Amino acid sequence: MTDHTATSTRFRHVAHLGWVLALYLSAIPAGAAQEPAPIDLSKLDMEDLMNVKVTSVSKREQSLSRTAAAAFVINGEDIRRSGATNIPDLLRMAPGVDVEQIDANAWAISVRGFNSRYSNKVLVLIDGRTVYTPSFSGVFWEHLDMPLENIERIEVIRGPGATVWGANAVNGVISIFTRSSKDTKGGLIAAGAGSQVHALGLVQYGGAAGKDGAYRAYGKYFDIGNSAMPDGSRAADHWMRAHGGFRADWDLSSRDSLMVQGDLFANEASQTRRTGFIPTPFDRIFNQDLDAAGGDLLARWSHTLAGGSQTSFQTYYDTYRRDDYGVPEVLRTFDFDFQHHVAAGDRHDVVWGLGYRVSSSSLSPGYSIGFTPPSRKDNLYSGFIQDEIRASDSLWFTVGCKLEHNTYTGIEVEPSVRLAWSAPASRNTIWAAASKANRQPARVDTALHTDLQTIPLSSDLTQVLRFSGNPLIKDEELRDYELGYRSEITKTLSLDAATFLSFYRHLETIEPQPMLFIPGSPAQLIIPVRYDNKASAVTYGGELSLRWNVNSRWRISPGYSYLHATIRQDPSSQGTVAYVLTDMFPQNMFQIRSSVNLPRKTEFDQSLYYTARLPGGSIPGHARLDLRLARHFGESAEISLVGQNLLRPRSMEYGDSYAIIGTQSVRSVFGQIAWRF
């Protein structure tokens, strides 16, 4: 039996086990149904929306109207009515977030530019757990999955968040918050299938854990079919995933609470790639399996002191094993975080904290890439303090700074200053911010070695473009300035606008080194290149979002973003910029979502997303239309029909990426049944 067949068999066994568990749970008497879905915000006025709480800007709750940052909240109702089956598709809702699908199981996602398969300037968190990968400072989005029904909200912060979150929170922070297990008691069974989503199943049950606690446990499985190659033929990029997890919440006393959660997952996927990272006529195109498995365990203890201040202690362990590019990678991360929130007098609201993280990564030599040394342990020490100062009843200053010590560049300082003005009786907020943030080097910057291109010049001589990392690489640095405005224009219409001007220093370039000649049969002419920091950039632009409750049954939410980027190389640079302007900076993006409540408990939702042609790029402007039609039967059952990419049979969003052949997303339809009990 081949490895591929064995893995497929394991997935089928997991799927069969899930359906057996579903039948077992369906025999449990009704009456313990999960609590109703979150309140439909379309029925609330704009004042309620402006008071939605966010925590990702300052690590403490504050109303959106007082937040001095470009914050956008995707709430539970938005998620439920989106028709999405994965987290990347949910992020399309946020203005300024560039979501481009590479193939059926890979995405390029960024905020305010610098987009690629391995985008490294956006920090992603799930319930406070950082999910970036130390090998390249980015995110494997196909590793991130959970029942979307359990997501309470997603906070998208456009712009730097390094003062509280640290390195790599450069262009933005995406923070996913899951619902308390106290809000998901009862059972949930969901099953679906369609033209592209071949199978989708979820089994979940929650209940009481002692007198003052609750729990939930779930199992999820899906099978995504192949998309289309650029020539229209069938691709080889299927994706199957089995995922199980739990969460438990306890009120230990009137002052103490404890949350524990964990996950296990297994991915089986494939991709089509070429032998060289830079295309040549001599490349060989082949299909490659891409498998990953891992898990995490997180615990958070919150305590309220006698004086009213609040402390929290969080720790997590995260691990995965991934086979990609012929390189088996094993990562283990342990993280500790302490935080204290205290009101100092009538005018100061202070949050400070300490953190420590150790990551152990091992990447065995593969046929295409390698790391020197193959195994490494990195330590990250951090501390931050931020103070919100109430200058008057309408004016707040927020000043803060984070200190971090990393293995590559030592101590880094990341300060910020923010201002928010909102008169007590006003429906308007004006805010401004100035921030500094760093993107720390990763293993790929310092230790990677690979052959980017191999060209046979003759039967006796081969030219090889050989890349290696630079142990002396520096942090990439951002100095960012923002100005924003929020307004409750009427009781049914709200506006949120933000502009930015960003200056980047020490951006990576790929610099040539002296050529080498290696005798042999055939002989090799080696052209060495390596990373350096010999570029800079200036970007500016803005984002705009509206929310309009047309009437009690209809809500419209349009958004628009503009981005202009100029990249310059230092006079001493002899190479190329690692960030290709034509691939990573879409100038114009637009989206509009509409939700309609029809008679007989029927919902009709429409989402249109458009990305203009990249400047000088080969990928044309592309639009995506998703539709969802759902019918509720009482409080416990829902049937939905979802269509995705409906405008054309196939569409290319991104193209090739790091030797992976980009595929075309295909038009698809799937149906789903959900039952709560």
Side-chain angles (χ1 to χ4, degrees):
M1 180 180 289
T2 65
D3 292 341
H4 181 83
T5 304
T7 306
S8 299
T9 302
R10 289 195 296 271
F11 269 82
R12 286 195 294 270
H13 289 337
V14 171
H16 293 163
L17 179 61
W19 293 121
V20 170
L21 182 58
L23 292 174
Y24 170 75
L25 289 176
S26 66
I28 298 176
Q34 295 192 14
E35 295 183 8
I39 297 174
D40 185 349
L41 291 187
S42 67
K43 298 178 181 177
L44 304 180
D45 60 29
M46 293 301 114
E47 184 177 356
D48 296 307
L49 292 172
M50 296 291 283
N51 289 326
V52 168
K53 301 297 183 182
V54 295
T55 62
S56 299
V57 176
S58 59
K59 281 197 174 182
R60 61 176 179 80
E61 279 195 352
Q62 59 183 159
S63 64
L64 186 60
S65 62
R66 270 181 50 185
T67 300
F72 185 88
V73 178
I74 303 171
N75 60 57
E77 183 69 5
D78 294 331
I79 294 169
R80 187 183 69 82
R81 301 190 66 157
S82 67
T85 59
N86 54 64
I87 292 174
D89 283 347
L90 292 178
L91 296 176
R92 296 178 189 271
M93 301 183 196
V97 179
D98 183 20
V99 179
E100 309 290 350
Q101 189 159 4
I102 300 173
D103 62 19
N105 58 74
W107 286 265
I109 300 177
S110 72
V111 178
R112 294 180 175 175
F114 295 94
N115 200 10
S116 77
R117 172 70 173 91
Y118 302 111
S119 299
N120 55 24
K121 293 179 174 58
V122 177
L123 187 66
V124 182
L125 307 109
I126 299 177
D127 287 326
R129 173 174 60 91
T130 300
V131 295
Y132 85 95
T133 302
S135 58
F136 66 93
S137 297
V139 175
F140 289 122
W141 289 97
E142 65 273 24
H143 288 196
L144 307 187
D145 181 63
M146 65 190 69
L148 302 187
E149 295 85 349
N150 291 339
I151 299 178
E152 179 181 282
R153 68 186 187 278
I154 302 176
E155 296 180 8
V156 179
I157 310 302
R158 306 182 302 274
T163 298
V164 294
W165 295 111
N168 304 325
V170 178
N171 283 4
V173 177
I174 297 173
S175 191
I176 301 169
F177 296 85
T178 62
R179 301 172 66 188
S180 169
S181 57
K182 298 178 182 179
D183 299 329
T184 56
K185 294 179 180 179
L188 170 62
I189 297 177
S195 59
Q196 186 72 3
V197 180
H198 293 170
L200 175 64
L202 168 65
V203 178
Q204 177 170 294
Y205 192 80
K211 180 180 178 181
D212 298 308
Y215 75 92
R216 70 166 171 262
Y218 66 86
K220 182 180 178 182
Y221 169 81
F222 62 71
D223 181 359
I224 306 296
N226 297 308
S227 57
M229 294 295 289
D231 61 3
S233 63
R234 183 182 179 185
D237 57 354
H238 80 282
W239 180 23
M240 292 191 295
R241 179 181 175 98
H243 181 201
F246 76 94
R247 171 168 170 162
D249 298 86
W250 291 275
D251 291 325
L252 303 178
S253 70
S254 60
R255 294 184 177 180
D256 296 273
S257 63
L258 176 66
M259 185 270 280
V260 180
Q261 65 177 36
D263 298 270
L264 291 172
F265 77 89
N267 278 2
E268 177 193 303
S270 60
Q271 60 190 8
T272 301
R273 61 174 302 245
R274 60 170 58 91
T275 51
F277 283 80
I278 299 177
T280 73
F282 308 99
D283 284 336
R284 180 172 60 88
I285 306 299
F286 62 98
N287 298 329
Q288 181 186 61
D289 289 339
L290 171 65
D291 301 325
D296 62 84
L297 182 65
L298 177 146
R300 182 188 303 125
W301 172 47
S302 301
H303 175 67
T304 301
L305 300 175
S309 65
Q310 300 171 328
T311 63
S312 68
F313 172 80
Q314 175 180 286
T315 184
Y316 67 79
Y317 175 76
D318 193 347
T319 183
Y320 69 76
R321 186 186 191 278
R322 177 186 176 91
D323 292 326
D324 193 2
Y325 292 114
V327 181
E329 177 189 8
V330 177
L331 174 68
R332 298 180 179 91
T333 301
F334 174 77
D335 184 276
F336 148 83
D337 182 82
F338 172 79
Q339 181 178 307
H340 185 201
H341 174 207
V342 57
D346 296 333
R347 294 185 177 273
H348 296 269
D349 198 333
V350 180
V351 180
W352 68 275
L354 300 171
Y356 170 71
R357 180 181 305 150
V358 57
S359 299
S360 174
S361 59
S362 174
L363 297 101
S364 303
Y367 62 82
S368 60
I369 65 173
F371 286 80
T372 303
S375 299
R376 180 186 176 105
K377 181 179 291 185
D378 294 319
N379 295 284
L380 179 66
Y381 304 88
S382 64
F384 81 94
I385 184 169
Q386 183 163 279
D387 183 11
E388 182 183 78
I389 306 167
R390 183 173 63 86
S392 67
D393 291 340
S394 58
L395 184 63
W396 295 267
F397 287 97
T398 303
V399 294
C401 186
K402 189 170 186 105
L403 297 176
E404 284 190 312
H405 182 278
N406 68 80
T407 307
Y408 299 97
T409 58
I411 296 178
E412 301 292 345
V413 182
E414 297 167 302
S416 70
V417 178
R418 299 181 181 274
L419 177 149
W421 177 87
S422 179
S426 173
R427 298 177 178 178
N428 305 284
T429 299
I430 300 174
W431 62 269
S435 310
K436 177 179 177 289
N438 297 321
R439 201 279 292 183
Q440 288 179 1
R443 293 199 67 191
V444 71
D445 305 301
T446 62
L448 176 69
H449 54 86
T450 186
D451 291 342
L452 299 177
Q453 188 181 70
T454 301
I455 301 176
L457 300 179
S458 68
S459 59
D460 299 322
L461 181 63
T462 299
Q463 176 182 294
V464 179
L465 182 64
R466 181 161 294 170
F467 174 85
S468 62
N470 182 358
L472 302 179
I473 202 76
K474 300 177 183 178
D475 280 349
E476 295 183 314
E477 181 183 296
L478 166 66
R479 297 177 186 270
D480 185 78
Y481 305 91
E482 299 176 275
L483 181 65
Y485 173 68
R486 293 188 186 90
S487 177
E488 178 195 342
I489 300 174
T490 69
K491 288 292 184 180
T492 60
L493 180 64
S494 69
L495 166 71
D496 194 330
T499 60
F500 62 90
L501 175 62
S502 304
F503 299 90
Y504 297 86
R505 299 173 57 205
H506 308 311
L507 292 181
E508 286 185 342
T509 56
I510 299 176
E511 301 292 336
Q513 306 299 308
M515 289 190 296
L516 304 172
F517 179 79
I518 301 178
S521 181
Q524 290 186 328
L525 179 63
I526 307 297
I527 303 176
V529 295
R530 73 171 189 174
Y531 278 134
D532 209 331
N533 301 96
K534 294 188 176 182
S536 60
V538 178
T539 66
Y540 62 85
E543 302 95 17
L544 175 70
S545 62
L546 293 167
R547 185 176 289 248
W548 179 27
N549 294 345
V550 181
N551 53 44
S552 61
R553 292 181 174 269
W554 187 15
R555 181 185 65 197
I556 299 177
S557 303
Y560 170 75
S561 62
Y562 174 79
L563 171 65
H564 183 275
T566 302
I567 295 182
R568 298 184 178 90
Q569 291 180 244
D570 297 347
S572 61
S573 175
Q574 301 297 316
T576 60
V577 179
Y579 303 103
V580 182
L581 182 64
T582 58
D583 288 345
M584 299 184 175
F585 297 90
Q587 281 196 337
N588 296 279
M589 294 188 296
F590 172 79
Q591 63 268 125
I592 183 168
R593 294 178 291 123
S594 170
S595 296
V596 182
N597 292 334
L598 301 173
R600 298 181 179 273
K601 296 185 178 181
T602 302
E603 299 170 341
F604 182 41
D605 304 289
Q606 316 98 53
S607 301
L608 177 64
Y609 308 100
Y610 176 74
T611 301
R613 173 188 287 272
L614 300 176
S618 59
I619 305 300
H622 50 274
R624 170 185 171 123
L625 174 65
D626 296 347
L627 301 178
R628 171 183 174 269
L629 184 66
R631 172 76 183 276
H632 294 265
F633 298 89
E635 296 295 329
S636 59
E638 176 187 293
I639 298 178
S640 59
L641 181 66
V642 176
Q644 296 180 328
N645 296 298
L646 296 178
L647 293 179
R648 54 182 61 89
R650 302 180 304 274
S651 64
M652 180 76 75
E653 290 190 355
Y654 192 82
D656 296 359
S657 176
Y658 294 92
I660 299 174
I661 306 299
T663 63
Q664 299 185 85
S665 300
V666 298
R667 178 186 292 154
S668 65
V669 178
F670 73 90
Q672 180 172 280
I673 300 174
W675 177 42
R676 301 176 185 270
F677 55 92

